[in-house]
Amino acid sequence: MSTNARKLRVGIVGGGFMGQVHGRAALVSGATVVGAVGSSPARADAAAEATGAERGFATLDELLASDIDVVHVCTPNNTHRDVTLKALEAGKHVVCEKPLATSVGDATGLQAAAFEAGLVGAVPFVYRYHPMVRELRTRIAAGDAGTITSLHGSYLQDWLAGADDQNWRVDDTTGGPSRTFADIGSHWCDLTEFVTGDRIAAISAQLRTVRAQRGGVEVRTEDLATAQFRTEAGVVGTIVVSQVAAGRKNRLYLEVSGTESSFGFDQEDPDRLWVGRRQASKLLTRDPETLSPPAARVNRLPAGHAQGYQDAFDSFVADSYAAVLGDHPDGLPDFAAGARSARVVDAVLRSAAADSAWITVDNNA
């Protein structure tokens, strides 16, 4: 990882689970977490304690007026646009949780605003930062798969499987028009495009809401989604995403099938990469002594010492800060990646609304 030339000063907006993850990563990356903003002025101190900040700020304006370089936006989805725009207008670099925004127009607008201001904007598609994902990407680029024939996989969770399970993401006014696909399907699509270097060109999707009501309130966002797609290179693929798959906690699985080799990556077993060949198959284990240079760059622990989600997040934040300091880290998901994701999610919604019609994804933006 790049070494920070100076100690960055950051602020965190939001003191929930993601705010805590961002705060830990900021501290590990050597930054000073100057302050945090909670969901209300009364929550300022609690947000500071949760994120490891030196103090709580009552309002976003007060935080932006302080001496900080970077703002981490960890608030509900419907606030991302306004909070991020304010931070950019104040001259701050931004790390914004995904989705970058709840519409294509807002996401592309944020991408343009960051570019025009000459500021770094990053979106935590952090599964890019597992070393075995970088190993997979390197091997595919080297042609090890031969001709890629198909892409398939899933992202399955069960945290909303119960009838009484509830979260702000369920409400389309705060979470946006898509829940499951925007929340986790976006990760799968970003990861697939990242490792293959090939983009989804058209998609046909179905959405299903299993729990029509939660807490007596009508649910208008999807519990699960399935889609088939084709890429710009003509590769066909399928994906299943669900937040109501009992027993599955956070299982993102991607398989790349090729004429020479196939590869399988399971986010719940991230230290291994399955390599399938016609003659025999094998498991590659994360080992800094044998990893390719791109994979070794994001390796944080010796072989045999489990490296997981927080480590990937720490590497992402370290790269974001390196970009702020003038570096150009390979594979950093920026606001262009966030806007790209918004276009894929929009295509999924439009397809599902049109009885699974094939929708072309805008790949020229």
Side-chain angles (χ1 to χ4, degrees):
M1 310 307 296
S2 299
T3 301
N4 287 353
R6 64 181 176 86
K7 196 164 188 174
L8 292 175
R9 296 169 61 81
V10 308
I12 298 178
V13 186
F17 168 70
M18 290 314 307
Q20 296 171 42
V21 171
H22 282 250
R24 284 193 293 270
L27 293 170
V28 167
S29 298
T32 299
V33 183
V34 174
V37 177
S39 56
S40 68
R43 297 286 301 166
D45 290 342
E49 182 177 358
T51 59
E54 292 179 342
R55 56 162 291 196
F57 286 82
T59 67
L60 174 62
D61 289 339
E62 290 179 15
L63 176 66
L64 295 177
S66 67
D67 180 20
I68 57 173
D69 304 294
V70 185
V71 173
H72 289 250
V73 181
C74 310
T75 55
N77 301 343
N78 66 327
T79 67
H80 288 181
R81 174 188 175 275
D82 290 348
V83 174
T84 299
L85 274 180
K86 269 195 167 186
L88 293 172
E89 289 166 358
K92 314 301 183 185
H93 304 277
V94 178
V95 177
C96 180
E97 260 306 319
K98 38 129 293 273
L100 178 58
T102 56
S103 72
V104 173
D106 285 349
T108 55
L110 291 177
Q111 178 189 357
F115 177 78
E116 290 166 7
L119 296 166
V120 171
V123 180
F125 287 114
V126 297
Y127 299 128
R128 295 185 180 196
Y129 281 87
H130 284 298
M132 300 315 287
V133 164
R134 298 287 173 128
E135 187 69 23
L136 169 57
R137 181 183 184 227
T138 300
R139 288 172 180 252
I140 289 176
D144 288 8
T147 299
I148 296 177
T149 56
S150 65
L151 302 164
H152 64 92
S154 59
Y155 197 157
L156 307 176
Q157 301 175 332
D158 71 356
W159 67 290
L160 288 172
D164 297 326
D165 292 331
Q166 185 62 282
N167 184 267
W168 60 260
R169 291 173 178 83
V170 173
D171 185 352
D172 61 341
T173 61
T174 53
S178 171
R179 178 186 6 122
T180 303
F181 205 92
D183 190 25
I184 59 177
S186 59
H187 270 299
W188 192 93
C189 293
D190 176 83
L191 188 69
T192 300
E193 293 187 339
F194 178 69
V195 300
T196 63
D198 190 12
R199 295 193 296 181
I200 295 170
I203 197 162
S204 168
Q206 301 179 82
L207 307 180
R208 185 183 177 198
T209 302
V210 177
R211 302 292 185 188
Q213 288 199 341
R214 293 180 185 270
V217 178
E218 179 187 0
V219 176
R220 293 187 294 268
T221 54
E222 77 278 6
D223 287 320
L224 62 89
T226 66
Q228 58 178 323
F229 60 87
R230 61 177 176 269
T231 72
E232 290 180 323
V235 179
V236 295
T238 60
I239 174 180
V240 178
V241 295
S242 175
Q243 292 177 327
V244 293
R248 291 298 189 188
K249 302 306 176 185
N250 198 50
R251 205 226 183 202
L252 182 158
Y253 180 74
L254 167 63
E255 188 161 315
V256 180
S257 298
T259 55
E260 300 300 321
S261 296
S262 297
F263 299 90
F265 174 76
D266 182 350
Q267 195 277 147
E268 290 189 337
D269 187 19
D271 275 355
R272 280 171 281 276
L273 179 68
W274 177 77
V275 182
R277 295 184 66 87
R278 189 170 183 180
Q279 299 84 352
S281 299
K282 62 183 178 180
L283 281 175
L284 298 180
T285 301
R286 181 185 57 80
D287 183 345
E289 299 299 319
T290 58
L291 289 173
S292 63
R297 187 182 76 82
V298 297
N299 186 78
R300 287 181 166 257
L301 296 169
H305 297 72
Q307 183 170 319
Y309 172 79
Q310 185 69 53
D311 297 295
F313 214 103
D314 293 349
S315 294
F316 157 73
V317 168
D319 266 8
S320 299
Y321 292 171
V324 168
L325 294 167
D327 199 359
H328 300 280
D330 175 52
L332 175 67
D334 56 12
F335 276 12
R340 165 67 185 166
S341 179
R343 291 194 293 275
V344 174
V345 171
D346 178 68
V348 166
L349 290 174
R350 287 191 287 130
S351 172
D355 198 23
S356 302
W358 280 94
I359 299 295
T360 299
V361 182
D362 181 7
N363 288 344
N364 296 317

PDB file of all heavy atoms in Angstrom, residues 77-82 84-85 88 100-113 335 338-339 342:
ATOM      1  N   ASN A  77     -29.345   6.211   1.987  1.00  0.00           N
ATOM      2  CA  ASN A  77     -29.098   6.411   0.556  1.00  0.00           C
ATOM      3  C   ASN A  77     -29.669   7.717   0.002  1.00  0.00           C
ATOM      4  O   ASN A  77     -29.060   8.360  -0.854  1.00  0.00           O
ATOM      5  CB  ASN A  77     -29.674   5.241  -0.239  1.00  0.00           C
ATOM      6  CG  ASN A  77     -29.081   3.908   0.168  1.00  0.00           C
ATOM      7  OD1 ASN A  77     -28.039   3.846   0.812  1.00  0.00           O
ATOM      8  ND2 ASN A  77     -29.738   2.825  -0.218  1.00  0.00           N
ATOM      9  N   ASN A  78     -30.861   8.106   0.474  1.00  0.00           N
ATOM     10  CA  ASN A  78     -31.504   9.281  -0.108  1.00  0.00           C
ATOM     11  C   ASN A  78     -30.811  10.586   0.268  1.00  0.00           C
ATOM     12  O   ASN A  78     -31.131  11.645  -0.275  1.00  0.00           O
ATOM     13  CB  ASN A  78     -32.983   9.342   0.298  1.00  0.00           C
ATOM     14  CG  ASN A  78     -33.179   9.568   1.792  1.00  0.00           C
ATOM     15  OD1 ASN A  78     -32.368   9.101   2.599  1.00  0.00           O
ATOM     16  ND2 ASN A  78     -34.240  10.259   2.171  1.00  0.00           N
ATOM     17  N   THR A  79     -29.843  10.535   1.175  1.00  0.00           N
ATOM     18  CA  THR A  79     -29.116  11.745   1.564  1.00  0.00           C
ATOM     19  C   THR A  79     -27.746  11.842   0.895  1.00  0.00           C
ATOM     20  O   THR A  79     -27.070  12.871   1.023  1.00  0.00           O
ATOM     21  CB  THR A  79     -28.912  11.788   3.086  1.00  0.00           C
ATOM     22  OG1 THR A  79     -28.025  10.723   3.484  1.00  0.00           O
ATOM     23  CG2 THR A  79     -30.230  11.641   3.830  1.00  0.00           C
ATOM     24  N   HIS A  80     -27.318  10.800   0.201  1.00  0.00           N
ATOM     25  CA  HIS A  80     -25.962  10.782  -0.359  1.00  0.00           C
ATOM     26  C   HIS A  80     -25.698  11.965  -1.284  1.00  0.00           C
ATOM     27  O   HIS A  80     -24.634  12.591  -1.218  1.00  0.00           O
ATOM     28  CB  HIS A  80     -25.720   9.476  -1.119  1.00  0.00           C
ATOM     29  CG  HIS A  80     -25.569   8.294  -0.228  1.00  0.00           C
ATOM     30  ND1 HIS A  80     -25.331   7.015  -0.713  1.00  0.00           N
ATOM     31  CD2 HIS A  80     -25.624   8.162   1.121  1.00  0.00           C
ATOM     32  CE1 HIS A  80     -25.246   6.171   0.299  1.00  0.00           C
ATOM     33  NE2 HIS A  80     -25.434   6.848   1.414  1.00  0.00           N
ATOM     34  N   ARG A  81     -26.648  12.273  -2.148  1.00  0.00           N
ATOM     35  CA  ARG A  81     -26.443  13.348  -3.113  1.00  0.00           C
ATOM     36  C   ARG A  81     -26.193  14.678  -2.408  1.00  0.00           C
ATOM     37  O   ARG A  81     -25.195  15.362  -2.694  1.00  0.00           O
ATOM     38  CB  ARG A  81     -27.653  13.471  -4.042  1.00  0.00           C
ATOM     39  CG  ARG A  81     -27.573  14.666  -4.988  1.00  0.00           C
ATOM     40  CD  ARG A  81     -28.869  14.872  -5.761  1.00  0.00           C
ATOM     41  NE  ARG A  81     -28.834  16.074  -6.572  1.00  0.00           N
ATOM     42  CZ  ARG A  81     -29.129  17.288  -6.127  1.00  0.00           C
ATOM     43  NH1 ARG A  81     -29.487  17.468  -4.855  1.00  0.00           N
ATOM     44  NH2 ARG A  81     -29.074  18.337  -6.940  1.00  0.00           N
ATOM     45  N   ASP A  82     -27.083  15.050  -1.502  1.00  0.00           N
ATOM     46  CA  ASP A  82     -26.979  16.372  -0.886  1.00  0.00           C
ATOM     47  C   ASP A  82     -25.745  16.489   0.007  1.00  0.00           C
ATOM     48  O   ASP A  82     -25.054  17.515  -0.010  1.00  0.00           O
ATOM     49  CB  ASP A  82     -28.243  16.674  -0.077  1.00  0.00           C
ATOM     50  CG  ASP A  82     -29.462  16.897  -0.969  1.00  0.00           C
ATOM     51  OD1 ASP A  82     -29.277  17.043  -2.197  1.00  0.00           O
ATOM     52  OD2 ASP A  82     -30.593  16.915  -0.445  1.00  0.00           O
ATOM     53  N   THR A  84     -22.943  14.742  -0.192  1.00  0.00           N
ATOM     54  CA  THR A  84     -21.735  14.711  -1.015  1.00  0.00           C
ATOM     55  C   THR A  84     -21.529  16.028  -1.750  1.00  0.00           C
ATOM     56  O   THR A  84     -20.405  16.544  -1.820  1.00  0.00           O
ATOM     57  CB  THR A  84     -21.807  13.541  -2.010  1.00  0.00           C
ATOM     58  OG1 THR A  84     -21.887  12.308  -1.288  1.00  0.00           O
ATOM     59  CG2 THR A  84     -20.591  13.505  -2.911  1.00  0.00           C
ATOM     60  N   LEU A  85     -22.600  16.588  -2.298  1.00  0.00           N
ATOM     61  CA  LEU A  85     -22.479  17.881  -2.980  1.00  0.00           C
ATOM     62  C   LEU A  85     -21.984  18.965  -2.027  1.00  0.00           C
ATOM     63  O   LEU A  85     -21.120  19.773  -2.394  1.00  0.00           O
ATOM     64  CB  LEU A  85     -23.822  18.291  -3.583  1.00  0.00           C
ATOM     65  CG  LEU A  85     -24.152  17.762  -4.971  1.00  0.00           C
ATOM     66  CD1 LEU A  85     -25.515  18.262  -5.411  1.00  0.00           C
ATOM     67  CD2 LEU A  85     -23.084  18.181  -5.987  1.00  0.00           C
ATOM     68  N   LEU A  88     -18.266  18.435  -1.473  1.00  0.00           N
ATOM     69  CA  LEU A  88     -17.481  18.842  -2.635  1.00  0.00           C
ATOM     70  C   LEU A  88     -17.429  20.359  -2.754  1.00  0.00           C
ATOM     71  O   LEU A  88     -16.374  20.940  -3.057  1.00  0.00           O
ATOM     72  CB  LEU A  88     -18.070  18.233  -3.913  1.00  0.00           C
ATOM     73  CG  LEU A  88     -17.975  16.710  -4.050  1.00  0.00           C
ATOM     74  CD1 LEU A  88     -18.766  16.231  -5.270  1.00  0.00           C
ATOM     75  CD2 LEU A  88     -16.520  16.249  -4.160  1.00  0.00           C
ATOM     76  N   LEU A 100     -24.001   5.339  -4.796  1.00  0.00           N
ATOM     77  CA  LEU A 100     -23.568   6.733  -4.807  1.00  0.00           C
ATOM     78  C   LEU A 100     -24.768   7.659  -4.752  1.00  0.00           C
ATOM     79  O   LEU A 100     -24.736   8.695  -4.079  1.00  0.00           O
ATOM     80  CB  LEU A 100     -22.730   6.993  -6.069  1.00  0.00           C
ATOM     81  CG  LEU A 100     -22.231   8.415  -6.292  1.00  0.00           C
ATOM     82  CD1 LEU A 100     -21.379   8.895  -5.125  1.00  0.00           C
ATOM     83  CD2 LEU A 100     -21.442   8.497  -7.605  1.00  0.00           C
ATOM     84  N   ALA A 101     -25.830   7.305  -5.448  1.00  0.00           N
ATOM     85  CA  ALA A 101     -27.096   8.056  -5.413  1.00  0.00           C
ATOM     86  C   ALA A 101     -28.203   7.111  -5.815  1.00  0.00           C
ATOM     87  O   ALA A 101     -27.954   6.001  -6.305  1.00  0.00           O
ATOM     88  CB  ALA A 101     -27.034   9.261  -6.336  1.00  0.00           C
ATOM     89  N   THR A 102     -29.441   7.549  -5.638  1.00  0.00           N
ATOM     90  CA  THR A 102     -30.586   6.672  -5.906  1.00  0.00           C
ATOM     91  C   THR A 102     -31.147   6.837  -7.309  1.00  0.00           C
ATOM     92  O   THR A 102     -32.175   6.244  -7.633  1.00  0.00           O
ATOM     93  CB  THR A 102     -31.701   6.916  -4.870  1.00  0.00           C
ATOM     94  OG1 THR A 102     -32.065   8.300  -4.886  1.00  0.00           O
ATOM     95  CG2 THR A 102     -31.227   6.541  -3.469  1.00  0.00           C
ATOM     96  N   SER A 103     -30.498   7.622  -8.156  1.00  0.00           N
ATOM     97  CA  SER A 103     -30.910   7.747  -9.556  1.00  0.00           C
ATOM     98  C   SER A 103     -29.673   7.931 -10.414  1.00  0.00           C
ATOM     99  O   SER A 103     -28.622   8.369  -9.933  1.00  0.00           O
ATOM    100  CB  SER A 103     -31.853   8.938  -9.753  1.00  0.00           C
ATOM    101  OG  SER A 103     -31.144  10.169  -9.653  1.00  0.00           O
ATOM    102  N   VAL A 104     -29.814   7.609 -11.688  1.00  0.00           N
ATOM    103  CA  VAL A 104     -28.698   7.765 -12.618  1.00  0.00           C
ATOM    104  C   VAL A 104     -28.306   9.229 -12.736  1.00  0.00           C
ATOM    105  O   VAL A 104     -27.115   9.584 -12.725  1.00  0.00           O
ATOM    106  CB  VAL A 104     -29.065   7.200 -14.007  1.00  0.00           C
ATOM    107  CG1 VAL A 104     -27.971   7.516 -15.025  1.00  0.00           C
ATOM    108  CG2 VAL A 104     -29.297   5.701 -13.926  1.00  0.00           C
ATOM    109  N   GLY A 105     -29.308  10.100 -12.819  1.00  0.00           N
ATOM    110  CA  GLY A 105     -29.020  11.520 -12.956  1.00  0.00           C
ATOM    111  C   GLY A 105     -28.226  12.075 -11.794  1.00  0.00           C
ATOM    112  O   GLY A 105     -27.256  12.833 -11.980  1.00  0.00           O
ATOM    113  N   ASP A 106     -28.606  11.704 -10.586  1.00  0.00           N
ATOM    114  CA  ASP A 106     -27.890  12.205  -9.408  1.00  0.00           C
ATOM    115  C   ASP A 106     -26.479  11.624  -9.331  1.00  0.00           C
ATOM    116  O   ASP A 106     -25.528  12.320  -8.962  1.00  0.00           O
ATOM    117  CB  ASP A 106     -28.664  11.862  -8.140  1.00  0.00           C
ATOM    118  CG  ASP A 106     -29.883  12.747  -7.945  1.00  0.00           C
ATOM    119  OD1 ASP A 106     -30.014  13.745  -8.673  1.00  0.00           O
ATOM    120  OD2 ASP A 106     -30.720  12.430  -7.068  1.00  0.00           O
ATOM    121  N   ALA A 107     -26.327  10.341  -9.672  1.00  0.00           N
ATOM    122  CA  ALA A 107     -25.004   9.709  -9.601  1.00  0.00           C
ATOM    123  C   ALA A 107     -24.050  10.316 -10.623  1.00  0.00           C
ATOM    124  O   ALA A 107     -22.889  10.618 -10.308  1.00  0.00           O
ATOM    125  CB  ALA A 107     -25.131   8.205  -9.816  1.00  0.00           C
ATOM    126  N   THR A 108     -24.527  10.507 -11.855  1.00  0.00           N
ATOM    127  CA  THR A 108     -23.664  11.111 -12.871  1.00  0.00           C
ATOM    128  C   THR A 108     -23.380  12.569 -12.544  1.00  0.00           C
ATOM    129  O   THR A 108     -22.295  13.081 -12.856  1.00  0.00           O
ATOM    130  CB  THR A 108     -24.290  10.992 -14.264  1.00  0.00           C
ATOM    131  OG1 THR A 108     -25.603  11.565 -14.255  1.00  0.00           O
ATOM    132  CG2 THR A 108     -24.397   9.539 -14.689  1.00  0.00           C
ATOM    133  N   GLY A 109     -24.337  13.231 -11.894  1.00  0.00           N
ATOM    134  CA  GLY A 109     -24.109  14.610 -11.472  1.00  0.00           C
ATOM    135  C   GLY A 109     -23.006  14.708 -10.431  1.00  0.00           C
ATOM    136  O   GLY A 109     -22.168  15.625 -10.473  1.00  0.00           O
ATOM    137  N   LEU A 110     -22.962  13.756  -9.501  1.00  0.00           N
ATOM    138  CA  LEU A 110     -21.897  13.743  -8.492  1.00  0.00           C
ATOM    139  C   LEU A 110     -20.549  13.424  -9.133  1.00  0.00           C
ATOM    140  O   LEU A 110     -19.515  14.002  -8.755  1.00  0.00           O
ATOM    141  CB  LEU A 110     -22.227  12.726  -7.397  1.00  0.00           C
ATOM    142  CG  LEU A 110     -23.403  13.073  -6.490  1.00  0.00           C
ATOM    143  CD1 LEU A 110     -23.663  11.938  -5.501  1.00  0.00           C
ATOM    144  CD2 LEU A 110     -23.154  14.379  -5.733  1.00  0.00           C
ATOM    145  N   GLN A 111     -20.550  12.518 -10.093  1.00  0.00           N
ATOM    146  CA  GLN A 111     -19.311  12.205 -10.811  1.00  0.00           C
ATOM    147  C   GLN A 111     -18.770  13.473 -11.485  1.00  0.00           C
ATOM    148  O   GLN A 111     -17.572  13.785 -11.386  1.00  0.00           O
ATOM    149  CB  GLN A 111     -19.561  11.127 -11.868  1.00  0.00           C
ATOM    150  CG  GLN A 111     -18.334  10.777 -12.697  1.00  0.00           C
ATOM    151  CD  GLN A 111     -18.664   9.862 -13.871  1.00  0.00           C
ATOM    152  OE1 GLN A 111     -19.807   9.433 -14.041  1.00  0.00           O
ATOM    153  NE2 GLN A 111     -17.667   9.574 -14.692  1.00  0.00           N
ATOM    154  N   ALA A 112     -19.648  14.215 -12.144  1.00  0.00           N
ATOM    155  CA  ALA A 112     -19.236  15.437 -12.826  1.00  0.00           C
ATOM    156  C   ALA A 112     -18.772  16.499 -11.838  1.00  0.00           C
ATOM    157  O   ALA A 112     -17.777  17.197 -12.078  1.00  0.00           O
ATOM    158  CB  ALA A 112     -20.389  15.977 -13.677  1.00  0.00           C
ATOM    159  N   ALA A 113     -19.476  16.615 -10.706  1.00  0.00           N
ATOM    160  CA  ALA A 113     -19.115  17.636  -9.711  1.00  0.00           C
ATOM    161  C   ALA A 113     -17.738  17.373  -9.129  1.00  0.00           C
ATOM    162  O   ALA A 113     -16.941  18.311  -8.936  1.00  0.00           O
ATOM    163  CB  ALA A 113     -20.162  17.664  -8.601  1.00  0.00           C
ATOM    164  N   PHE A 335     -16.033   7.686  -8.398  1.00  0.00           N
ATOM    165  CA  PHE A 335     -17.421   8.062  -8.641  1.00  0.00           C
ATOM    166  C   PHE A 335     -17.898   7.589 -10.014  1.00  0.00           C
ATOM    167  O   PHE A 335     -19.108   7.420 -10.229  1.00  0.00           O
ATOM    168  CB  PHE A 335     -17.592   9.573  -8.508  1.00  0.00           C
ATOM    169  CG  PHE A 335     -17.789  10.037  -7.086  1.00  0.00           C
ATOM    170  CD1 PHE A 335     -17.555   9.192  -6.012  1.00  0.00           C
ATOM    171  CD2 PHE A 335     -18.212  11.336  -6.819  1.00  0.00           C
ATOM    172  CE1 PHE A 335     -17.742   9.612  -4.704  1.00  0.00           C
ATOM    173  CE2 PHE A 335     -18.404  11.770  -5.509  1.00  0.00           C
ATOM    174  CZ  PHE A 335     -18.171  10.919  -4.451  1.00  0.00           C
ATOM    175  N   GLY A 338     -19.372   4.392  -9.290  1.00  0.00           N
ATOM    176  CA  GLY A 338     -20.663   4.586  -8.652  1.00  0.00           C
ATOM    177  C   GLY A 338     -21.745   4.933  -9.648  1.00  0.00           C
ATOM    178  O   GLY A 338     -22.879   4.430  -9.566  1.00  0.00           O
ATOM    179  N   ALA A 339     -21.412   5.786 -10.623  1.00  0.00           N
ATOM    180  CA  ALA A 339     -22.378   6.144 -11.659  1.00  0.00           C
ATOM    181  C   ALA A 339     -22.654   4.961 -12.575  1.00  0.00           C
ATOM    182  O   ALA A 339     -23.792   4.741 -13.011  1.00  0.00           O
ATOM    183  CB  ALA A 339     -21.860   7.332 -12.463  1.00  0.00           C
ATOM    184  N   ALA A 342     -25.120   2.750 -10.915  1.00  0.00           N
ATOM    185  CA  ALA A 342     -26.469   3.308 -10.982  1.00  0.00           C
ATOM    186  C   ALA A 342     -27.130   2.990 -12.314  1.00  0.00           C
ATOM    187  O   ALA A 342     -28.343   2.722 -12.374  1.00  0.00           O
ATOM    188  CB  ALA A 342     -26.422   4.816 -10.759  1.00  0.00           C
TER     189      ALA A 342
END
